[in-house]
Amino acid sequence: MIIIEWYVYYHDSNAQKIIKWNIFNHGSFKKEVDVLLKEKIDKDDFSEKLKREVMYYFWSKCEYEIILSPWTGRADDIKVDIYDQIMMNFDRFVDYCWLFKSEKL
């Protein structure tokens, strides 16, 4: 069994705290990525399809949003969801996931 890990900040409403959470713990998302990894597609197509899955599961859903606020100084708070966190390093995320592809084209 291959373990894939990509951590983001997530509000655990049961524990009432912000935790580091592996997005591949989301069962349906992990299942979709596994399907993508088995498809006979090139890296560009893989990237596009992966982005769609990230959007579908993590974009603009209140349960995946947190508020970032400065500790010192003045700045507006910003709302960040898991999608935003992944997209900050999306190229690296694609490269990482691509490593798990069984047949690279």
Side-chain angles (χ1 to χ4, degrees), residues 9-13 18 21 26 56-66 79-82 85:
Y9 287 109
Y10 167 72
H11 177 242
D12 181 338
S13 58
I18 305 290
W21 182 68
H26 187 297
Y56 178 78
Y57 285 102
F58 300 118
W59 186 38
S60 291
K61 294 187 178 176
C62 65
E63 64 268 27
Y64 296 128
E65 294 175 335
I66 59 173
K79 181 172 58 172
V80 177
D81 57 23
I82 289 176
Q85 293 180 66

Side-chain angles (χ1 to χ4, degrees), residues 34-105:
D34 288 343
V35 168
L36 273 179
L37 289 169
K38 292 175 185 169
E39 286 187 18
K40 293 185 185 282
I41 55 177
D42 64 20
K43 192 172 181 183
D44 289 336
D45 289 338
F46 176 79
S47 176
E48 287 178 32
K49 289 182 176 187
L50 183 60
K51 184 176 182 177
R52 281 193 291 242
E53 294 302 332
V54 170
M55 287 178 80
Y56 178 78
Y57 285 102
F58 300 118
W59 186 38
S60 291
K61 294 187 178 176
C62 65
E63 64 268 27
Y64 296 128
E65 294 175 335
I66 59 173
I67 303 292
L68 293 180
S69 182
W71 184 257
T72 61
R74 293 181 184 202
D76 293 337
D77 295 347
I78 59 170
K79 181 172 58 172
V80 177
D81 57 23
I82 289 176
Y83 173 82
D84 294 326
Q85 293 180 66
I86 295 169
M87 292 313 292
M88 286 190 295
N89 295 296
F90 188 69
D91 291 340
R92 288 186 183 98
F93 180 66
V94 171
D95 290 343
Y96 175 73
C97 292
W98 187 252
L99 291 172
F100 295 94
K101 186 143 178 65
S102 55
E103 291 182 28
K104 296 178 187 165
L105 300 174

